[in-house]
């Protein structure tokens, strides 16, 4: 199962959480400690997104190889800073394509999104939910994967006017009920707020003055809170709100 992280705060070098911390995303890609539900390494692709500052749209870089196999990534990561970051390493669910297009972060309209997990019984289990999307929304899915469908469902709710927390909580609970046994750790940021869910997968948060990090596994030994299952996390630079994720949570 993939691993992901997001950061908000003062400008931070991408290499810090992704490459350099003791249990960085790179370390989590080949030696994850808390995978739950299968998978050993996260080597089927990776992606990083960053907001250069509070005003600019996010930029993104993805590859369909393991993060350690990309010879240019180390230098890229050391040259990039962001006031918000979202990064992910992928372990493709069996049957799903290994392609850059299936790697998080998915991006649109100033937002970055990631999913850690799988939809049980894909795709039949969520056929009825998917019918709510228009033909155009289905044909413009980034890839034929469960994660890309979840992203379309979140986008559809945002387009209806729901806020980020409502949209993410609504998709997680709706899909979780329709497809029991799913793993639905969702992660969304607009560069100012991070919204995340825990649904049968690991997630931890670390808050420092003016900054917050959310990650599948703690990046180091200090200051992390491991979050309970079925939580909705809404974090910004000033604080972190964690509440139980049930229908109508947000
Ligand atoms: N099911 C998703 C995919 O195949 C996410 C993978 C994961 O979390 N391991 O891309």
């Amino acid at each position: 199962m993939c691993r992901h992280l997001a950061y908000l705060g003062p400008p931070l070098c991408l290499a810090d959480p992704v490459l350099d911390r003791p249990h960085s995303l790179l370390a989590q890609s080949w030696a994850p400690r808390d995978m739950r539900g299968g998978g050993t390494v996260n080597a089927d692709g990776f992606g990083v997104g960053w907001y250069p500052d509070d005003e600019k749209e996010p930029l993104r870089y993805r590859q369909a190889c393991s993060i350690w196999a990309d010879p240019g990534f180390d230098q890229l990561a050391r040259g990039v800073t962001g006031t918000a970051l979202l990064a992910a390493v992928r372990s493709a669910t069996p049957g799903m394509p290994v392609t850059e297009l299936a790697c998080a972060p998915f991006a649109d309209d100033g937002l970055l999104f990631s999913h850690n997990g799988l939809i049980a019984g894909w795709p039949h289990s969520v056929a009825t939910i998917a019918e709510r999307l228009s033909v155009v929304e289905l044909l413009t899915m980034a890839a034929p994967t469960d994660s890309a469908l979840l992203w379309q469902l979140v986008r559809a709710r945002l387009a209806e006017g729901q806020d980020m927390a409502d949209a993410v909580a609504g998709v997680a609970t709706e899909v979780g009920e329709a497809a029991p046994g799913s793993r639905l750790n969702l992660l969304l940021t607009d560069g100012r707020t991070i919204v995340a869910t825990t649904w049968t997968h690991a997630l931890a948060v670390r808050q420092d003055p003016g900054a917050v990090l959310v990650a599948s596994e703690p990046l180091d030994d200090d200051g992390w809170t491991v979050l309970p299952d079925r939580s909705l996390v809404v974090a910004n630079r000033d604080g972190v709100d964690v509440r139980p994720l049930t229908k109508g949570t947000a």
Side-chain angles (χ1 to χ4, degrees), residues 3-7 17 23-25 28 87 116 185 187 194 196 198 201-206 212-220 224-227 233:
R3 306 281 79 176
H4 58 204
L5 65 79
Y7 165 82
H23 196 54
S24 65
L25 201 63
Q28 291 179 40
N116 174 200
N185 280 33
L187 183 62
I194 295 169
T198 59
H201 245 315
L203 196 72
V205 62
R206 177 182 168 139
V212 62
L213 263 167
V214 175
S216 300
E217 300 180 10
L219 303 180
D220 44 41
W224 289 85
T225 304
V226 173
L227 298 170
V233 184

Side-chain angles (χ1 to χ4, degrees), residues 1-2 90-93 96 102 115-118 145-147:
M1 296 294 118
C2 315
R90 180 171 183 236
S91 168
T93 297
M96 298 199 183
H115 162 231
N116 174 200
L118 58 83
T145 65
D146 50 3
S147 303

